[in-house]
Structure formats: structure tokens, C-alpha cells
Amino acid sequence: MATLADIGIAAAINILTALIFLLLFAILRIQPFNDRVYFPKWYLKGLRSSPLVNPGAYVSKIVNLDIRSYIRFLNWMPAALKMPESELIDHAGFDSAVYLRIYLIGLKIFIPIALLSWSILVPVNWTSNGLQLAKLHDVTSSNIDKLSISNVERGSDRFWAHLMMEYAFTFWTCYVLLKEYEKIASMRLAFLQSEERRADEFTVLVRNIPPDSHELVSDNVEQFFMVNHPHHYLMNQVVYNANKLAELVAEKKKMQNWFDYYHLKYTRNKEQRPRVKLGFLGLWGKKVDAMDHFTDKILKLSDQILEERKRVKKDEKGVMPAAFVSFKTRWGAAVCAQTQQTKNPTKWLTEWAPEAREVYWPNLAIPYVSLTVRRLVMHVAFFFLTFFFIIPIAFVQSLASIEGIKKSAPFLNRLVEKKFIKSVIQGFLPGIFLKLFLLFLPSILMMMSKFEGFVSISSLERRAAFRYYLFNLVNVFLGSIITGSAFEQLNSFLEQSADQIPRTVGVAIPIKATFFITYIMVDGWAGVAGEILRLKAFIIFHLKNLFLVKTEKDREEAMDPGQIDFHVNEPRIQLYFLLGLVYAPVTPVLLPFIIFFFGFAYLIFRHQIINVYNQKYESAAAYWPDVHGRIISALIISQILLIGLMSTKGKAQSTPFLVVLPILTIVFHRFCKDRYESAFVINPLQEAMIKDSLERAREPNLNLKRFLKNAYIHPVFKDKKYEDDLLEELIEDSDDENCVVVRTDQKHCDEQQ
């Protein structure tokens, strides 16, 4: 059980770690050779030029010699807060701006709650002496617990203060959520109305198209929509199963990277041509000329790609029963996307097409009829993943404790009894171990979402985020309470009579707040500070710059701006909402740590969104109903847990007063859902008609068909110079007189001896 001293040492370690990360970032960001690592967004927008190409001394191109810039090394903080929200939306997109508002909501909710709880509940808890009167001598506790509800005597009237505060917390949280939902719904409609023309505004994804043996899928689609949408139908683009072709293209790109690497190596030292082994991972086998080897590989793949492209286009089995159907107006697309097309509700299924750049093409090749089975399989798999994952988490956390280390490694007994080491183990290790265990979980959940068959990146991320939230709820929150309370108090349970066990649980659950404090510091302080350092992107960029980059274009492609990983970051935020709402009436000492997280993370991510992240898509905050719903669920969970806690504290008569809160919260959620959610899932016909009318007035001669022609063609079919570019580059790069690439039928490469 972590004490106040343990928490202090853990705070010192995490604050020091965060400060080191921030200091390294402040120094690295002003070095010219790191400019593309820490400001890639401005390069992609064409608003920043590389300092490496500026005239001046060579050293000044690598190292910043301006002493004044080191004195102003913290100026990135006010700069991150300076950009207004309207300008931020234009610069980074609506998704990014609304994502930042989640952190602001956390501050709006918890700052008033913290002020109220610290001014009322902390004095109530501190002036009680329940931990002494309870006579639970075997239950571990610390001086921090004197600030929690555990210190209030059983049956005391002081519990009415906690009940009234729960009412105040609930009403304030609902008020903030209502205002935010209303604001964001209004902002979304205004954003969609003012945004430039997009292909997905005119396009609908049609799936489960019934087969017709007498005509092609494209002809079948055209005939159906010409009959049922005669005045608005414009064109269609059928969906091909190009997954194998995409794999070949990816393999070709990989071979091209290897060729570039060895060619660059050769240009730097022309005395010896690089060679490569043909065995496993290049560790053994016959040695051959590296450039010749990869040139041959590339040419063979080019032939395979050409043949596969022809096969996909000609083979009827390569055409899926799905198509992107475009309309002459937004109004026509809205009518089609939001209505049932036939009396058979399983045929000609329509939905809004994803934004063209966020289409997840591999899943369009999955037969629609198999999606239900796939999702059922993933529901079962996720159930077992969630409930079996708690076993290693509980085991590892048990090892990350004084008792666990003594039991598993007795030879360390003398070491762990030292005060500082003991404080580090109890105040730091549990949080860092849990963080490490969760490191690969988002990738696993994303793979599960892809298997389910969602066809857009945003829907994949929303499904993975939902599952990550459930996982955190069961394993991180409930699992930590169970393993932390029941296991630690097992001896006490066995020695007590049955009527004393609920009382022990009532005292022990709030005590677990100390673990969550350590986790918040590891994940929400040091973890967020690590985000701005971008260590992984830093290493990868400089490795590519060293081994692959030949031109400025190559250097730009080597940049990895990344994006907001919604499926990773949003569930993490929701965990803090859950912890804050649950522990606000129970252990208010947790709230300052959560408030610091929301403020610090807002600053860090605002800087990253302005200077680094480049979003792959724009969903116009379609995820907001999910965010709202999860905060509501956290509020309901906190109310139910407080009811259970009060029943163990001899205040069962307060249950009727507390039961009202979940009911009122659910009613409030239904009201918000009915009133505002439609703005995030439906495009109002009125708004579509207004935008169409304005566009006709501004551009009466608009050729919409030309605008939409290539919007929803699979990326592997878009490049007209698909096979020519590489050969041209190989011919230009082969300046060695002993290896000339002969362009015949793209079938072979001869070596001139």
C-alpha cells in the first residue's frame, strides 16, 4: 500500500522524467537537421523550407548556433495556445479541433468538482476517525486514506455530504456535456456547410447488389439507379477485389526501397559494387550483385502487377457486388443514402460513402453476407481476450509489490526493505508495469476491427476505441480494484465473520486510489511528455535520411508526421473521466492529478496538431456521440459504485436517494441522443439543398462528372504511368558501364559484358 512518501517519490520520478523529455524536445526542435521531425505539417503544406538548403556555414545547417534561441526554448508553449479555434479548424481540420475539446471538457468538469470536493468533502473526511474505530487492524491503509471516505465512521450522518456532492457533481457534468454537445453539433453543421466540395458529399456506397447473369455489375447498377433515381443519378464505380494486386504493389515498393539503399551506397563508393546474400534475412546463402538482384526482382514484380491488373479488370469474379454511386446533387445522394431502396431490406443496401482518402480498400472485397459471422467471431474473441488478460495483469501487479518480490525473490528482501527502494516499488512499479502490458493492445484491437470488415479508417478506429474503453473498464479499473482489494485483504476476510466482510470491502475499495494516482503519473504525465519528443519518428527519419534519401522529394517522403491515434488516445482520456467521476466523492485527493493530466495533455496535443500531425481523413467529428456516451457511462458507473459503497457503510437508507441519479442520467442521455445525435449521422436535406443551390449559383458550368471520375478508383489503378516510372528511374540511375538496363518488353534485364 503506497504511502504519502511513496506517492511523493513517484511524483518526483515522473515529473523529472517529463521535464527531461520536455528539455530534450526543446533542444532538439531548434536544431536544423531535426526541422522535418518536429515541423512536418508545415512542410506538407508548403509553408516551411528546409534550413539545410539555406546559404551559410555547414555547421550552422546542422547545429543551431543562435544562443538566444536556447534562452527562449520554452516559447513553443505560448505559441501552441495562440492559434484561435477557427484558424485551427482551417489548419488541421474539424476532427482535430474537436478532439482537443475533449481535454477542455475534462478541465471544465473537474476543476469546479475539485474545488467543491476539497472545500467540503476533504475536511469532512479528515476530521473523522473511522479507520481507528473500524478495528480492521489487518486492512492496510495509509495517511492518504484519511482524506478519503474510508475515514468516515460507519453509519455517520457525514455521509449525507457525500450524497449531496454526488448530486452536485452529476448535475454539473450533465450541464457541461449538454452545452458541449449543442456547441459541437452546431459547429459540425456549419463546418459541413462551409467546407469545399468533397466527393463523398455526392457519393453513396451500395452493397449486396443482387447478381444478374445477363449483364455486368456496373450495367446492373446503372440500370437500377437510372430507373429509381432518374433525375439525380450521375455515374458509378464498381469495387474490384484488388487485394492481391495491392500486395504485389507493396512488395514492389519494398524492393524499390532496397534498390535505392544499395544504389545510394554504390554512388558513395564506386570502387566496389554492393553484394547481398540470398539466404534467410540475408544472413547466409549465395552472394550476388545487390543492384542487379533487386532490379530483377522489380522487373518481375512489374510483369506480375501488369498481368494481375489485366486479370482483375477482365475477370468477372474480380468484381464485387458493391459500387460507389455518385449523384448530380448532394440532395440526391442524401435521399439515396438515408432511405431503403427496395422492399427487400437485405438487397441494394446504401450508406454514405467514406471520404475517398479514408476508404479501407481490403475490406471492400469481403462478401457482405460474411460480415455478421466475422463480427460474431470477434465479439467472442474479445470477450476471452478481456477476461483472460486480467490474469497476467493481476500476476504482474502482484510481483510489483513488496510482498510479491519477497515471495518470488527472497534474496532481495534486504534490498526492498530500504526506504527509497520500497517507495519506488510501491509508488512507481505498478503503474509502469500496467502501462507496459497495455502497449500492444491497441494494435491487437485494430486487427480485430479490420477482420470485422469495416470499410473506412474512421469506423475502424471508432470500433477499436470502443473495445479499448471496455478493456480499460474491466481490466484496468475493475480488475485493479478486485486484485488490489480482495487479494490484499484475503487474510482479513478469512479471519472475520461474514457480516464483517462488506464492511471491509467498503473501506478497502477507496484505498486503491493510491494505485491509480501512480498510474496517472506514469501514463498521464511522463507518457504524455514522451509524445512530444517523438523518439520513434526521430530515429526512423534519420535512418531513412542516412540510407535511403537521395533528393529533397525522398526526404519529404521520409517524414512521418503521424496523426491522432483516436483508437489509442480517446480510450485513455475516458479512463481519466471514469477515475475522476468515481473518486470525486470517495477520494478527492485523486482530482488534482487528473486535472494536471487534462491541462498538460491539452498543451502537448495542441502543439502536435499545429506542427506535426497530418490527419489521414476528415470525419467532421462523427465520433462525438461515442465520446459523449462514454462519459455518461462513466458517470452512471460512479453513481452505482457509490450506492454499493454507501450500503457497506451503514447508510442503506441513502440508496433511494442515490438510485434516482442513474435514472436521471439515462433520461438526460436519451434527450441528448434524440436532440443532437442526428447531426452526426444524417445529412439534413435542407442543408444539402442550400449547398447545392449556392454551388449552382457560383459555378453554373461545373463539370461534376470530371470531379468525381477518379475519386473512388482503387489506388493501384490510378497511376497511368504505373510501369513506366520505375524503369525510367532504373535507366537514369544505372550509370555503371557494367550494368545497363535494356528496355525491351519489360521482361528481362540484360547485362552488357
Side-chain angles (χ1 to χ4, degrees), residues 223-464:
Q223 181 182 356
F224 178 85
F225 283 95
M226 286 292 290
V227 171
N228 295 285
H229 298 266
H231 304 297
H232 299 283
Y233 171 76
L234 180 63
M235 56 179 287
N236 76 82
Q237 175 61 54
V238 296
V239 174
Y240 293 97
N241 185 354
N243 288 353
K244 182 179 178 181
L245 178 59
E247 291 175 2
L248 290 173
V249 171
E251 181 66 18
K252 178 182 172 182
K253 184 178 180 180
K254 180 181 175 182
M255 295 298 105
Q256 177 65 38
N257 287 337
W258 279 112
F259 175 84
D260 291 342
Y261 166 71
Y262 284 112
H263 183 266
L264 185 61
K265 187 176 181 180
Y266 173 66
T267 57
R268 292 172 177 173
N269 180 18
K270 291 193 174 184
E271 295 180 0
Q272 182 178 4
R273 291 179 63 86
R275 300 176 68 80
V276 64
K277 295 179 180 179
L278 298 180
F280 178 71
L281 296 178
L283 299 176
W284 58 73
K286 180 182 177 182
K287 274 191 174 184
V288 297
D289 185 283
M291 289 195 295
D292 291 347
H293 172 69
F294 287 108
T295 298
D296 186 53
K297 286 265 190 184
I298 291 169
L299 293 174
K300 287 181 180 178
L301 285 169
S302 296
D303 290 339
Q304 294 177 24
I305 289 171
L306 193 61
E307 292 299 320
E308 181 65 16
R309 291 179 75 189
K310 292 178 181 178
R311 186 196 68 77
V312 170
K313 287 284 188 178
K314 293 180 179 180
D315 188 4
E316 293 184 5
K317 294 182 179 179
V319 181
M320 303 303 298
F324 291 100
V325 178
S326 298
F327 294 82
K328 299 175 182 178
T329 62
R330 297 173 181 83
W331 189 92
V335 170
C336 180
Q338 295 162 186
T339 56
Q340 183 175 313
Q341 302 305 305
T342 67
K343 62 182 179 181
N344 186 345
T346 64
K347 302 293 184 183
W348 295 99
L349 303 175
T350 58
E351 60 184 272
W352 280 108
E355 189 187 7
R357 57 181 174 162
E358 73 150 328
V359 175
Y360 188 69
W361 293 98
N363 281 359
L364 282 172
I366 299 174
Y368 188 83
V369 293
S370 68
L371 294 182
T372 302
V373 176
R374 283 171 168 261
R375 289 172 188 176
L376 177 61
V377 170
M378 285 300 98
H379 288 327
V380 176
F382 177 69
F383 173 83
F384 285 105
L385 174 68
T386 301
F387 285 95
F388 279 101
F389 210 91
I390 200 171
I391 298 173
I393 285 180
F395 175 71
V396 170
Q397 287 199 43
S398 68
L399 292 181
S401 63
I402 298 298
E403 294 77 10
I405 292 176
K406 286 182 178 179
K407 185 176 180 180
S408 57
F411 57 90
L412 295 176
N413 286 358
R414 295 183 62 184
L415 179 63
V416 300
E417 284 299 332
K418 293 183 178 181
K419 189 174 181 180
F420 177 77
I421 301 297
K422 188 175 182 180
S423 295
V424 170
I425 292 172
Q426 296 189 136
F428 183 72
L429 281 189
I432 195 69
F433 271 48
L434 181 57
K435 177 70 175 174
L436 292 174
F437 249 87
L438 298 177
L439 204 57
F440 300 103
L441 182 65
S443 300
I444 296 172
L445 297 179
M446 179 57 76
M447 289 190 331
M448 294 173 70
S449 298
K450 290 177 179 178
F451 182 83
E452 287 186 88
F454 293 99
V455 296
S456 67
I457 297 175
S458 59
S459 58
L460 287 170
E461 291 195 337
R462 290 202 298 272
R463 172 52 68 95

Side-chain angles (χ1 to χ4, degrees), residues 138 484-496 501 504:
D138 295 330
S485 295
F487 291 176
E488 287 178 9
Q489 314 302 334
L490 184 59
N491 290 334
S492 181
F493 287 168
L494 295 176
E495 295 174 4
Q496 292 175 7
I501 293 178
T504 304

Side-chain angles (χ1 to χ4, degrees), residues 555-568:
R555 187 169 286 108
E556 184 172 312
E557 292 177 352
M559 291 189 305
D560 179 23
Q563 65 169 349
I564 300 171
D565 291 323
F566 182 81
H567 66 293
V568 178

